Amino acid sequence: LKLFRCGAPRPAEFTMAKLLGKKKSGRTKTALKYNVQKKVREHKRRVRKEAKKLGNKRPQKKDPGIPNSWPFKAQLLESMERQKRQKDEEIAKKRAAAKAKAKEEQRLAALQKQQMIEERDRERKLKRQNAEAKKKAAKTGAASSSKAASGSKADGDANMDTDDDDDDAEDEEGEEEGEMEADEVVEPRG
């Protein structure tokens, strides 16, 4: 019985069944099954070994405590409680001491920083005052040199030499002022 012609398209039902084929059986060889179990065992063993190396220990079993039939149970419990309290007090004292020490170090660091800032400000003020004094001296020196220029020629040559030195000093001062202005921080108004 020939249902389909050669080369004619087949219905989807037939092609689908052919693509899926037969389902694979769930059976496996026992050798394969045991090999898988062996590999799983070895893997778990390696994981435990690594955990042991890293120090991730299993949680230890809880202490069952002191049995009621134990003689002098009450005294033993009291002494254990006392030891625990003493240990807690020591830890609290150590923490308080460490906290106080840290606060003192912070206070000293802040004080030291403040002193450095004040010292830097004093140095800047001194530099500014020196620069202003030199400028005033240069201005008064220029006025006196113009008066001296009307005098003898030899005096004029000497004044010219000192004027050149003053100009060099002013140039250096200008450079220093430029550096100081770059150091200053201008806060924005807001």
Side-chain angles (χ1 to χ4, degrees):
L1 181 69
K2 197 171 186 183
L3 296 173
F4 304 103
R5 273 190 343 221
C6 210
R10 294 179 182 244
E13 303 166 318
F14 294 111
T15 55
M16 196 62 141
K18 198 168 196 178
L19 286 176
L20 289 175
K22 292 183 179 179
K23 286 190 175 183
K24 192 175 179 183
S25 170
R27 280 185 155 195
T28 56
K29 293 181 182 178
T30 50
L32 181 64
K33 181 174 119 179
Y34 291 128
N35 282 341
V36 168
Q37 287 176 357
K38 183 179 171 186
K39 286 182 181 180
V40 168
R41 260 196 323 269
E42 288 175 3
H43 173 71
K44 286 182 179 176
R45 192 177 128 264
R46 277 197 307 269
V47 168
R48 279 196 309 267
K49 195 172 184 181
E50 286 296 319
K52 192 176 179 183
K53 280 184 184 177
L54 294 173
N56 301 337
K57 295 180 181 177
R58 293 180 189 165
Q60 293 181 353
K61 292 181 181 177
K62 190 176 177 183
D63 183 23
I66 304 164
N68 286 333
S69 61
W70 195 271
F72 309 110
K73 178 180 176 180
Q75 289 91 349
L76 186 61
L77 286 172
E78 285 177 21
S79 66
M80 287 172 65
E81 187 66 33
R82 210 177 315 115
Q83 288 175 352
K84 187 179 178 184
R85 267 190 263 122
Q86 286 176 352
K87 205 177 213 180
D88 290 344
E89 288 173 3
E90 287 176 16
I91 290 171
K93 285 179 185 177
K94 285 181 183 178
R95 282 184 183 166
K99 208 174 194 180
K101 185 178 178 184
K103 273 192 175 183
E104 184 65 23
E105 287 176 357
Q106 283 180 343
R107 190 183 64 80
L108 289 174
L111 219 159
Q112 199 173 27
K113 187 176 182 181
Q114 187 66 29
Q115 288 175 348
M116 287 175 61
I117 290 170
E118 289 173 358
E119 188 176 321
R120 188 178 64 205
D121 289 345
R122 270 190 251 121
E123 289 175 1
R124 286 181 179 171
K125 280 184 181 179
L126 283 173
K127 282 184 180 179
R128 286 181 192 149
Q129 289 173 353
N130 289 341
E132 289 174 5
K134 286 181 182 178
K135 282 183 182 178
K136 287 180 183 177
K139 287 181 182 178
T140 57
S144 65
S145 64
S146 62
K147 290 179 185 176
S150 62
S152 68
K153 189 174 182 182
D155 289 339
D157 291 339
N159 284 336
M160 286 179 66
D161 292 338
T162 56
D163 286 343
D164 291 339
D165 294 339
D166 289 341
D167 291 339
D168 293 339
E170 285 179 16
D171 291 340
E172 291 174 4
E173 290 168 14
E175 290 173 5
E176 289 175 3
E177 287 178 5
E179 291 172 4
M180 286 195 307
E181 290 173 2
D183 289 343
E184 294 176 2
V185 177
V186 179
E187 295 181 14
R189 293 181 184 173

